mmCIF file of all heavy atoms in Angstrom:
data_model
loop_
_atom_site.group_PDB
_atom_site.id
_atom_site.type_symbol
_atom_site.label_atom_id
_atom_site.label_comp_id
_atom_site.label_asym_id
_atom_site.label_seq_id
_atom_site.Cartn_x
_atom_site.Cartn_y
_atom_site.Cartn_z
ATOM 1 N N LYS A 1 0.438 30.924 40.200
ATOM 2 C CA LYS A 1 0.674 30.148 41.422
ATOM 3 C C LYS A 1 0.116 28.732 41.359
ATOM 4 O O LYS A 1 0.492 27.881 42.148
ATOM 5 C CB LYS A 1 0.096 30.880 42.618
ATOM 6 C CG LYS A 1 0.822 32.166 42.897
ATOM 7 C CD LYS A 1 0.298 32.863 44.107
ATOM 8 C CE LYS A 1 1.068 34.158 44.308
ATOM 9 N NZ LYS A 1 0.702 34.858 45.489
ATOM 10 N N ARG A 2 -0.770 28.444 40.434
ATOM 11 C CA ARG A 2 -1.362 27.105 40.356
ATOM 12 C C ARG A 2 -0.355 26.057 39.908
ATOM 13 O O ARG A 2 -0.548 24.871 40.137
ATOM 14 C CB ARG A 2 -2.565 27.114 39.417
ATOM 15 C CG ARG A 2 -3.716 27.924 39.985
ATOM 16 C CD ARG A 2 -4.842 27.917 39.020
ATOM 17 N NE ARG A 2 -4.383 28.600 37.802
ATOM 18 C CZ ARG A 2 -5.160 29.004 36.830
ATOM 19 N NH1 ARG A 2 -6.436 28.782 36.886
ATOM 20 N NH2 ARG A 2 -4.675 29.636 35.772
ATOM 21 N N TYR A 3 0.742 26.470 39.270
ATOM 22 C CA TYR A 3 1.729 25.498 38.785
ATOM 23 C C TYR A 3 2.392 24.750 39.930
ATOM 24 O O TYR A 3 2.891 23.647 39.754
ATOM 25 C CB TYR A 3 2.798 26.161 37.917
ATOM 26 C CG TYR A 3 3.809 26.982 38.695
ATOM 27 C CD1 TYR A 3 4.933 26.390 39.239
ATOM 28 C CD2 TYR A 3 3.624 28.345 38.883
ATOM 29 C CE1 TYR A 3 5.854 27.132 39.960
ATOM 30 C CE2 TYR A 3 4.540 29.088 39.595
ATOM 31 C CZ TYR A 3 5.647 28.480 40.130
ATOM 32 O OH TYR A 3 6.546 29.212 40.847
ATOM 33 N N ARG A 4 2.388 25.333 41.121
ATOM 34 C CA ARG A 4 3.068 24.701 42.257
ATOM 35 C C ARG A 4 2.460 23.350 42.606
ATOM 36 O O ARG A 4 3.114 22.504 43.177
ATOM 37 C CB ARG A 4 3.045 25.626 43.461
ATOM 38 C CG ARG A 4 3.912 26.843 43.251
ATOM 39 C CD ARG A 4 3.908 27.732 44.442
ATOM 40 N NE ARG A 4 4.664 28.941 44.140
ATOM 41 C CZ ARG A 4 4.787 29.947 44.953
ATOM 42 N NH1 ARG A 4 4.206 29.919 46.130
ATOM 43 N NH2 ARG A 4 5.487 30.999 44.608
ATOM 44 N N ARG A 5 1.202 23.158 42.293
ATOM 45 C CA ARG A 5 0.550 21.880 42.572
ATOM 46 C C ARG A 5 1.044 20.787 41.634
ATOM 47 O O ARG A 5 0.915 19.618 41.922
ATOM 48 C CB ARG A 5 -0.970 22.030 42.460
ATOM 49 C CG ARG A 5 -1.545 22.805 43.623
ATOM 50 C CD ARG A 5 -3.051 22.840 43.528
ATOM 51 N NE ARG A 5 -3.412 24.245 43.475
ATOM 52 C CZ ARG A 5 -4.328 24.766 42.706
ATOM 53 N NH1 ARG A 5 -5.024 24.013 41.908
ATOM 54 N NH2 ARG A 5 -4.585 26.055 42.729
ATOM 55 N N LEU A 6 1.561 21.186 40.499
ATOM 56 C CA LEU A 6 2.079 20.222 39.521
ATOM 57 C C LEU A 6 3.601 20.175 39.659
ATOM 58 O O LEU A 6 4.311 21.038 39.160
ATOM 59 C CB LEU A 6 1.663 20.633 38.106
ATOM 60 C CG LEU A 6 0.147 20.774 37.902
ATOM 61 C CD1 LEU A 6 -0.151 21.431 36.568
ATOM 62 C CD2 LEU A 6 -0.520 19.419 37.999
ATOM 63 N N ARG A 7 4.082 19.190 40.359
ATOM 64 C CA ARG A 7 5.492 19.116 40.750
ATOM 65 C C ARG A 7 6.462 19.266 39.575
ATOM 66 O O ARG A 7 7.454 19.982 39.671
ATOM 67 C CB ARG A 7 5.737 17.802 41.485
ATOM 68 C CG ARG A 7 7.110 17.701 42.085
ATOM 69 C CD ARG A 7 7.198 16.485 42.986
ATOM 70 N NE ARG A 7 8.524 16.274 43.460
ATOM 71 C CZ ARG A 7 9.069 16.874 44.504
ATOM 72 N NH1 ARG A 7 8.380 17.749 45.167
ATOM 73 N NH2 ARG A 7 10.295 16.595 44.878
ATOM 74 N N LEU A 8 6.184 18.591 38.467
ATOM 75 C CA LEU A 8 7.086 18.662 37.322
ATOM 76 C C LEU A 8 7.166 20.083 36.760
ATOM 77 O O LEU A 8 8.253 20.563 36.429
ATOM 78 C CB LEU A 8 6.634 17.678 36.240
ATOM 79 C CG LEU A 8 7.659 17.344 35.172
ATOM 80 C CD1 LEU A 8 8.945 16.814 35.779
ATOM 81 C CD2 LEU A 8 7.080 16.324 34.205
ATOM 82 N N LEU A 9 6.033 20.771 36.679
ATOM 83 C CA LEU A 9 6.047 22.166 36.216
ATOM 84 C C LEU A 9 6.792 23.047 37.205
ATOM 85 O O LEU A 9 7.532 23.947 36.806
ATOM 86 C CB LEU A 9 4.620 22.697 36.032
ATOM 87 C CG LEU A 9 3.812 22.148 34.871
ATOM 88 C CD1 LEU A 9 2.466 22.853 34.793
ATOM 89 C CD2 LEU A 9 4.546 22.269 33.557
ATOM 90 N N ASN A 10 6.587 22.797 38.483
ATOM 91 C CA ASN A 10 7.254 23.585 39.514
ATOM 92 C C ASN A 10 8.771 23.445 39.418
ATOM 93 O O ASN A 10 9.501 24.439 39.455
ATOM 94 C CB ASN A 10 6.759 23.150 40.894
ATOM 95 C CG ASN A 10 7.258 24.040 42.007
ATOM 96 O OD1 ASN A 10 7.520 25.221 41.809
ATOM 97 N ND2 ASN A 10 7.393 23.490 43.187
ATOM 98 N N ILE A 11 9.248 22.231 39.258
ATOM 99 C CA ILE A 11 10.691 21.996 39.155
ATOM 100 C C ILE A 11 11.258 22.693 37.926
ATOM 101 O O ILE A 11 12.287 23.380 38.005
ATOM 102 C CB ILE A 11 10.999 20.483 39.134
ATOM 103 C CG1 ILE A 11 10.698 19.868 40.495
ATOM 104 C CG2 ILE A 11 12.447 20.219 38.733
ATOM 105 C CD1 ILE A 11 10.700 18.356 40.504
ATOM 106 N N ALA A 12 10.597 22.529 36.791
ATOM 107 C CA ALA A 12 11.068 23.166 35.555
ATOM 108 C C ALA A 12 11.088 24.686 35.691
ATOM 109 O O ALA A 12 12.048 25.348 35.277
ATOM 110 C CB ALA A 12 10.181 22.754 34.382
ATOM 111 N N TYR A 13 10.036 25.239 36.278
ATOM 112 C CA TYR A 13 9.928 26.686 36.420
ATOM 113 C C TYR A 13 11.019 27.238 37.340
ATOM 114 O O TYR A 13 11.722 28.184 36.985
ATOM 115 C CB TYR A 13 8.539 27.048 36.953
ATOM 116 C CG TYR A 13 8.320 28.529 37.093
ATOM 117 C CD1 TYR A 13 8.084 29.318 35.980
ATOM 118 C CD2 TYR A 13 8.368 29.140 38.335
ATOM 119 C CE1 TYR A 13 7.884 30.678 36.101
ATOM 120 C CE2 TYR A 13 8.173 30.497 38.458
ATOM 121 C CZ TYR A 13 7.932 31.265 37.347
ATOM 122 O OH TYR A 13 7.746 32.610 37.474
ATOM 123 N N VAL A 14 11.148 26.655 38.512
ATOM 124 C CA VAL A 14 12.139 27.153 39.482
ATOM 125 C C VAL A 14 13.559 27.019 38.925
ATOM 126 O O VAL A 14 14.362 27.940 39.036
ATOM 127 C CB VAL A 14 11.987 26.421 40.838
ATOM 128 C CG1 VAL A 14 13.141 26.738 41.773
ATOM 129 C CG2 VAL A 14 10.661 26.788 41.485
ATOM 130 N N PHE A 15 13.862 25.898 38.296
ATOM 131 C CA PHE A 15 15.179 25.694 37.692
ATOM 132 C C PHE A 15 15.474 26.791 36.662
ATOM 133 O O PHE A 15 16.555 27.383 36.661
ATOM 134 C CB PHE A 15 15.231 24.308 37.044
ATOM 135 C CG PHE A 15 16.508 24.026 36.310
ATOM 136 C CD1 PHE A 15 17.640 23.622 37.000
ATOM 137 C CD2 PHE A 15 16.580 24.154 34.932
ATOM 138 C CE1 PHE A 15 18.824 23.353 36.324
ATOM 139 C CE2 PHE A 15 17.750 23.892 34.250
ATOM 140 C CZ PHE A 15 18.876 23.489 34.946
ATOM 141 N N SER A 16 14.516 27.069 35.800
ATOM 142 C CA SER A 16 14.721 28.060 34.743
ATOM 143 C C SER A 16 14.800 29.478 35.288
ATOM 144 O O SER A 16 15.623 30.277 34.845
ATOM 145 C CB SER A 16 13.600 27.956 33.706
ATOM 146 O OG SER A 16 13.656 26.698 33.087
ATOM 147 N N VAL A 17 13.955 29.790 36.252
ATOM 148 C CA VAL A 17 13.978 31.131 36.843
ATOM 149 C C VAL A 17 15.306 31.380 37.548
ATOM 150 O O VAL A 17 15.881 32.462 37.448
ATOM 151 C CB VAL A 17 12.776 31.333 37.793
ATOM 152 C CG1 VAL A 17 12.948 32.564 38.661
ATOM 153 C CG2 VAL A 17 11.480 31.428 36.984
ATOM 154 N N MET A 18 15.834 30.364 38.237
ATOM 155 C CA MET A 18 17.099 30.548 38.939
ATOM 156 C C MET A 18 18.260 30.706 37.957
ATOM 157 O O MET A 18 19.190 31.470 38.209
ATOM 158 C CB MET A 18 17.359 29.389 39.905
ATOM 159 C CG MET A 18 16.374 29.319 41.056
ATOM 160 S SD MET A 18 16.245 30.865 42.027
ATOM 161 C CE MET A 18 14.673 31.498 41.510
ATOM 162 N N ASN A 19 18.198 30.036 36.822
ATOM 163 C CA ASN A 19 19.236 30.237 35.813
ATOM 164 C C ASN A 19 19.099 31.602 35.155
ATOM 165 O O ASN A 19 20.107 32.232 34.818
ATOM 166 C CB ASN A 19 19.219 29.107 34.783
ATOM 167 C CG ASN A 19 19.953 27.897 35.308
ATOM 168 O OD1 ASN A 19 21.163 27.935 35.477
ATOM 169 N ND2 ASN A 19 19.229 26.840 35.603
ATOM 170 N N ALA A 20 17.881 32.074 34.986
ATOM 171 C CA ALA A 20 17.679 33.438 34.467
ATOM 172 C C ALA A 20 18.227 34.462 35.466
ATOM 173 O O ALA A 20 18.813 35.471 35.076
ATOM 174 C CB ALA A 20 16.203 33.689 34.189
ATOM 175 N N ALA A 21 18.068 34.182 36.747
ATOM 176 C CA ALA A 21 18.599 35.085 37.777
ATOM 177 C C ALA A 21 20.125 35.151 37.708
ATOM 178 O O ALA A 21 20.718 36.198 37.979
ATOM 179 C CB ALA A 21 18.149 34.637 39.165
ATOM 180 N N ALA A 22 20.762 34.050 37.323
ATOM 181 C CA ALA A 22 22.220 34.057 37.163
ATOM 182 C C ALA A 22 22.625 35.017 36.045
ATOM 183 O O ALA A 22 23.617 35.740 36.164
ATOM 184 C CB ALA A 22 22.738 32.652 36.871
ATOM 185 N N LEU A 23 21.850 35.048 34.967
ATOM 186 C CA LEU A 23 22.141 35.984 33.872
ATOM 187 C C LEU A 23 21.910 37.423 34.305
ATOM 188 O O LEU A 23 22.694 38.315 33.970
ATOM 189 C CB LEU A 23 21.289 35.651 32.651
ATOM 190 C CG LEU A 23 21.615 34.350 31.939
ATOM 191 C CD1 LEU A 23 20.633 34.098 30.803
ATOM 192 C CD2 LEU A 23 23.040 34.357 31.419
ATOM 193 N N VAL A 24 20.844 37.655 35.055
ATOM 194 C CA VAL A 24 20.570 39.013 35.548
ATOM 195 C C VAL A 24 21.677 39.439 36.508
ATOM 196 O O VAL A 24 22.129 40.588 36.476
ATOM 197 C CB VAL A 24 19.179 39.085 36.201
ATOM 198 C CG1 VAL A 24 18.971 40.389 36.934
ATOM 199 C CG2 VAL A 24 18.093 38.897 35.139
ATOM 200 N N GLY A 25 22.128 38.518 37.364
ATOM 201 C CA GLY A 25 23.246 38.824 38.263
ATOM 202 C C GLY A 25 24.491 39.223 37.489
ATOM 203 O O GLY A 25 25.203 40.149 37.874
ATOM 204 N N LEU A 26 24.750 38.547 36.374
ATOM 205 C CA LEU A 26 25.887 38.903 35.520
ATOM 206 C C LEU A 26 25.698 40.299 34.939
ATOM 207 O O LEU A 26 26.634 41.110 34.932
ATOM 208 C CB LEU A 26 26.066 37.880 34.403
ATOM 209 C CG LEU A 26 27.151 38.199 33.363
ATOM 210 C CD1 LEU A 26 28.522 38.308 34.018
ATOM 211 C CD2 LEU A 26 27.150 37.148 32.257
ATOM 212 N N LEU A 27 24.489 40.600 34.478
ATOM 213 C CA LEU A 27 24.221 41.945 33.941
ATOM 214 C C LEU A 27 24.403 43.017 35.012
ATOM 215 O O LEU A 27 24.967 44.073 34.746
ATOM 216 C CB LEU A 27 22.813 42.015 33.352
ATOM 217 C CG LEU A 27 22.586 41.203 32.087
ATOM 218 C CD1 LEU A 27 21.121 41.268 31.667
ATOM 219 C CD2 LEU A 27 23.489 41.680 30.959
ATOM 220 N N TYR A 28 23.929 42.750 36.215
ATOM 221 C CA TYR A 28 24.141 43.696 37.324
ATOM 222 C C TYR A 28 25.632 43.937 37.533
ATOM 223 O O TYR A 28 26.078 45.064 37.698
ATOM 224 C CB TYR A 28 23.556 43.156 38.630
ATOM 225 C CG TYR A 28 22.064 43.189 38.759
ATOM 226 C CD1 TYR A 28 21.436 42.502 39.791
ATOM 227 C CD2 TYR A 28 21.249 43.895 37.870
ATOM 228 C CE1 TYR A 28 20.067 42.517 39.949
ATOM 229 C CE2 TYR A 28 19.879 43.915 38.021
ATOM 230 C CZ TYR A 28 19.291 43.223 39.057
ATOM 231 O OH TYR A 28 17.939 43.242 39.220
ATOM 232 N N PHE A 29 26.390 42.848 37.545
ATOM 233 C CA PHE A 29 27.829 42.953 37.778
ATOM 234 C C PHE A 29 28.510 43.745 36.665
ATOM 235 O O PHE A 29 29.315 44.638 36.931
ATOM 236 C CB PHE A 29 28.437 41.552 37.894
ATOM 237 C CG PHE A 29 29.926 41.566 38.063
ATOM 238 C CD1 PHE A 29 30.488 41.948 39.268
ATOM 239 C CD2 PHE A 29 30.769 41.212 37.021
ATOM 240 C CE1 PHE A 29 31.857 41.963 39.429
ATOM 241 C CE2 PHE A 29 32.138 41.233 37.173
ATOM 242 C CZ PHE A 29 32.683 41.608 38.384
ATOM 243 N N ILE A 30 28.202 43.421 35.411
ATOM 244 C CA ILE A 30 28.825 44.103 34.272
ATOM 245 C C ILE A 30 28.498 45.589 34.287
ATOM 246 O O ILE A 30 29.359 46.428 34.014
ATOM 247 C CB ILE A 30 28.379 43.457 32.942
ATOM 248 C CG1 ILE A 30 29.008 42.073 32.805
ATOM 249 C CG2 ILE A 30 28.727 44.334 31.749
ATOM 250 C CD1 ILE A 30 28.447 41.253 31.654
ATOM 251 N N ARG A 31 27.262 45.921 34.611
ATOM 252 C CA ARG A 31 26.829 47.322 34.624
ATOM 253 C C ARG A 31 27.284 48.062 35.876
ATOM 254 O O ARG A 31 27.072 49.264 35.992
ATOM 255 C CB ARG A 31 25.307 47.398 34.506
ATOM 256 C CG ARG A 31 24.840 46.959 33.123
ATOM 257 C CD ARG A 31 23.346 46.944 32.928
ATOM 258 N NE ARG A 31 22.651 48.012 33.596
ATOM 259 C CZ ARG A 31 21.408 47.896 34.088
ATOM 260 N NH1 ARG A 31 20.755 46.778 33.977
ATOM 261 N NH2 ARG A 31 20.841 48.929 34.671
ATOM 262 N N GLY A 32 27.900 47.343 36.817
ATOM 263 C CA GLY A 32 28.376 47.986 38.038
ATOM 264 C C GLY A 32 27.257 48.322 39.000
ATOM 265 O O GLY A 32 27.422 49.150 39.892
ATOM 266 N N LYS A 33 26.126 47.676 38.843
ATOM 267 C CA LYS A 33 24.974 47.943 39.704
ATOM 268 C C LYS A 33 25.232 47.347 41.076
ATOM 269 O O LYS A 33 25.493 46.156 41.203
ATOM 270 C CB LYS A 33 23.717 47.339 39.069
ATOM 271 C CG LYS A 33 22.449 47.721 39.747
ATOM 272 C CD LYS A 33 21.261 47.221 38.933
ATOM 273 C CE LYS A 33 19.980 47.660 39.588
ATOM 274 N NZ LYS A 33 18.819 47.241 38.819
#
């Protein structure tokens, strides 16, 4: 949680996590979950 104080780290982290969520969403869809 300390990364939130560092704006650049926060932006990079949130951007990457949301793109990872897109891949997980695709896996859910493919698996019929």
